[in-house]
Amino acid sequence: MRTGSPACPVCRLPITQHERCACGWTLRTSWTVGEGNRSAFAAELAAAQLAHDVRVAAWAGCDRDTIAPLLRGEPTRADWDQAKERPAARTEPLHPVLAAAFASLAAGQVLALVEIGAQDVTITWAAAADPDPGGPPAERRSQPWREVLPMLATDAEHLRFQLAGGLAGVDRAEISVRLAGWAEGLLAASELPADSVLVAVNRCPGWTVPAELIGHLRRCHPKLRAAADAGEVAPVWARVLAEQPLHTSYGLLTADVGKDGTVRLASRPLFAPGDRAGKTATVVVRCPPGGADRDSVLVVVTGTRRLVGAWSVRLRPGVPVPVEAELTAPGRVRLISPADARPDRRSLAQLEALAPGRIHVRSGPVEIICLVELNGPQDAALRRRKLLAELFDLLAAELTVAAGVALLGYTDHYAGAADEHVVHGRWLGPPAAAQETLDALPAPAPRWNRNAAPLEDALQEVARRCAHQPASRPRILLVVAGRPPHPAAVADVPRPAQRCPHGWDWTTYARRLGTAGIGVRLVVLDEPPRPQEDPWRRLGLRVVAPLGSVTAGKLAEAMALVSPNPVRLPFPLADPLQE
């Protein structure tokens, strides 16, 4: 179509073969205008032009006083009231159109949304995959109307009036030519693939120029999906993206620690391809070594190792910790638990750099047998328990291999009866269970034998248990006590003490410790032993330090369970029971 073509004198649409224009003005008739009715024709035309301009101004929401100089005539209040009675323009919601377009995308295909507004034309495009959390967002490019149609006004109010149909004084045919060229070159200008799926939304339903651009897009792109919706596009775009299924898996990064201490980060599955918003999933983890007194990081990544979200939280050591997350949209995850986790804004590269290449670990599982004297001076009895409680917490937090902990507490022989039950506790279990056992042991008694305690009863129980359960892994014996064992005979000790009413001879059980697979043997005493009475040496027990100066950390180091200079690991460990 060449510019300068004849146009309707009312709405400026190019004249076609039809007798009437879309605006209602008669373009062709068999009647000939004569001298007698020229003035009537001119009056009718002027009235039609004014009515058209007022309708357009009303549809565009223009200010009456501002737009008055652009009108072809002076409207009355009745003209404005009549213009407002125009039926609402036909609309078609964007959401179902856009959702259907996204659903039709093939792998690698691009969707482009053309948003035709009152100020500009905006193109937004995204590929047929999850919004990449680690990459750029959907691309957007906007063109002001003056770039598309240079003949339009620069003033915003005048521009709205023209877009709605107030095109008097403008070459209407040239507008059509330019709109057709823009529609035809859309994909090339935006550097989009030829097979892109196109969606157009007219945000100004009923306006002339946006409607014409939709028409040209339809002719140039027969598969175009179109909507007429005055609402904001961004919320609809976000909602449709949130409704899309995942195209890749999401997982929680955990640390895998090898037998030699090497650390490798691995993703534990949370969400699978095809999952949609609203899905929840849980991964069970454990506090990493060093995590008892510092934060761990919970990091969710895509299957292509892109960051989705990260949080920092202090994990409880020694127990399984469920990490529950909800998929709120592709690229967005909400952490449900732990509830006290805080968002961590560091990049994935920064977070991954926190993981050491290697940490100190034991070469394999271990059994730790703890014997604790329950009586004696109350202050010392309570400090023994406190030391063990701290040790169990530390082991729960620091050990990266399976550890079985046995805890046996022994009280006192009072009446000398052979049926007295002086040993209490539980055999092998996890460190957290040992803490529960410790809490359940009898409280310190107000009376006790000052010269001896029934350590031999506890050793007999250890020997019996070990005989029934041959060692399948290294065993460590720890004794926390204040008094030596009862002698097999009274003459055996420099300070008189009652012999064991059960007849247990601690020297016999001392000899059995080696055959029971107990290699490392340690003791923490209330006070350093006197040289002339050292059953601890004969038991093969090495004194770590006096009770008042030893710490759980030093004790764990003496057991070779932790390193004296540990390298901290911020990523949680996967729970072995969930493997």
Side-chain angles (χ1 to χ4, degrees):
M1 179 184 295
R2 63 183 179 82
T3 59
S5 298
C8 171
V10 175
C11 68
R12 303 303 299 162
L13 277 174
I15 293 176
T16 64
Q17 300 301 317
H18 299 289
E19 292 184 358
R20 281 182 175 274
C21 180
C23 68
W25 183 253
T26 300
L27 299 174
R28 289 181 174 80
T29 178
S30 57
W31 295 88
T32 303
V33 178
E35 290 295 333
N37 60 1
R38 284 186 180 276
S39 59
F41 173 81
E44 183 179 356
L45 176 60
Q49 290 173 335
L50 178 60
H52 171 79
D53 289 353
V54 172
R55 284 196 304 271
V56 168
W59 299 343
C62 296
D63 179 77
R64 295 185 184 183
D65 296 332
T66 304
I67 209 69
L70 301 177
L71 304 180
R72 289 172 289 181
E74 297 183 5
T76 65
R77 179 180 296 274
D79 292 331
W80 284 108
D81 291 342
Q82 185 177 1
K84 290 180 181 180
E85 296 175 359
R86 175 211 181 195
R90 186 183 67 84
T91 62
E92 184 173 359
L94 172 62
H95 180 270
V97 175
L98 190 59
F102 263 106
S104 71
L105 290 178
Q109 204 170 16
V110 172
L111 182 144
L113 171 64
V114 181
E115 177 185 348
I116 305 171
Q119 297 179 345
D120 51 30
V121 181
T122 299
I123 305 168
T124 305
W125 62 91
D130 294 335
D132 188 352
E139 297 285 342
R140 288 174 61 84
R141 181 173 66 86
S142 295
Q143 267 191 290
W145 275 110
R146 283 273 299 175
E147 289 186 10
V148 180
L149 300 173
M151 71 285 297
L152 297 185
T154 56
D155 175 73
E157 197 80 359
H158 191 178
L159 177 62
R160 291 172 60 86
F161 179 64
Q162 288 178 323
L163 293 175
L167 295 169
V170 179
D171 190 333
R172 188 67 177 80
E174 184 182 359
I175 288 178
S176 296
V177 170
R178 287 183 175 272
L179 289 179
W182 189 92
E184 185 176 2
L186 168 64
L187 295 180
S190 301
E191 299 181 348
L192 295 175
D195 66 344
S196 298
V197 173
L198 284 181
V199 177
V201 55
N202 180 1
R203 294 195 57 208
C204 306
W207 290 19
T208 299
V209 176
E212 182 176 349
L213 180 54
I214 292 284
H216 288 299
L217 287 170
R218 286 188 186 278
R219 283 187 289 274
C220 296
H221 309 281
K223 295 183 179 180
L224 176 81
R225 301 170 186 263
D229 190 332
E232 293 290 332
V233 169
V236 179
W237 178 273
R239 178 183 168 192
V240 171
L241 285 182
E243 295 168 347
Q244 298 307 301
L246 292 184
H247 291 266
T248 183
S249 60
Y250 286 8
L252 181 74
L253 283 185
T254 59
D256 284 347
V257 181
K259 292 182 178 181
D260 60 350
T262 55
V263 176
R264 182 179 67 89
L265 295 182
S267 178
R268 305 296 169 181
L270 275 171
F271 304 109
D275 286 347
R276 296 179 181 270
K279 176 76 177 293
T280 60
T282 300
V283 172
V284 179
V285 301
R286 288 185 174 269
C287 181
D293 58 354
R294 64 189 63 203
D295 285 347
S296 297
V297 289
L298 304 177
V299 181
V300 176
V301 295
T302 68
T304 54
R305 207 60 168 257
R306 295 286 190 176
L307 179 64
V308 178
W311 300 263
S312 294
V313 66
R314 191 72 55 87
L315 298 178
R316 182 183 173 191
V319 296
V321 179
V323 177
E324 184 179 9
E326 178 189 10
L327 179 66
T328 59
R332 294 202 302 271
V333 167
R334 180 176 71 92
L335 197 68
I336 300 174
S337 66
D340 56 344
R342 306 172 307 282
D344 193 315
R345 304 301 182 190
R346 286 174 288 188
S347 68
L348 181 59
Q350 291 172 320
L351 292 167
E352 289 181 323
L354 299 176
R358 184 186 300 270
I359 63 173
H360 173 270
V361 296
R362 284 192 56 86
S363 59
V366 64
E367 292 180 1
I368 306 165
I369 303 168
C370 300
L371 307 181
V372 58
E373 180 184 319
L374 299 178
N375 291 339
Q378 186 173 36
D379 178 63
L382 294 178
R383 282 190 289 127
R384 293 183 212 120
R385 291 174 182 251
K386 182 175 183 292
L387 175 63
L388 287 177
E390 293 171 349
L391 175 64
F392 297 151
D393 283 344
L394 184 146
L395 295 180
E398 298 293 332
L399 284 184
T400 56
V401 295
V405 178
L407 175 61
L408 301 178
Y410 53 96
T411 55
D412 268 89
H413 290 304
Y414 293 112
D419 60 350
E420 277 186 301
H421 187 64
V422 297
V423 178
H424 308 269
R426 184 162 57 181
W427 199 239
L428 298 173
Q435 181 64 62
E436 296 175 3
T437 302
L438 180 64
D439 294 339
L441 290 177
R447 296 187 301 111
W448 66 91
N449 186 323
R450 292 185 177 276
N451 295 332
L455 173 58
E456 70 282 353
D457 289 63
L459 291 173
Q460 186 276 337
E461 181 68 13
V462 170
R464 185 183 69 83
R465 293 275 192 171
C466 290
H468 283 84
Q469 291 181 320
S472 59
R473 47 190 175 176
R475 285 170 169 163
I476 299 172
L477 176 65
L478 169 65
V479 178
V480 184
R483 297 169 288 167
H486 285 268
V490 175
D492 289 346
V493 291
R495 289 185 296 177
Q498 172 192 353
R499 68 186 300 274
C500 177
H502 296 119
W504 308 133
D505 184 349
W506 62 267
T507 61
T508 300
Y509 303 119
R511 291 190 294 270
R512 294 183 184 176
L513 294 180
T515 59
I518 300 175
V520 178
R521 308 171 200 174
L522 306 172
V523 65
V524 175
L525 298 173
D526 294 352
E527 298 176 357
R530 299 177 183 179
Q532 69 273 23
E533 51 172 16
D534 193 2
W536 315 111
R537 181 179 56 79
R538 293 179 62 187
L539 280 167
L541 296 170
R542 177 167 66 87
V543 178
V544 178
L547 179 61
S549 60
V550 73
T551 64
K554 292 297 182 183
L555 194 53
E557 290 174 22
M559 295 180 183
L561 297 177
V562 299
S563 169
N565 298 300
V567 177
R568 299 303 180 185
L569 179 62
F571 286 87
L573 306 177
D575 184 51
L577 297 180
Q578 300 293 315
E579 293 291 308

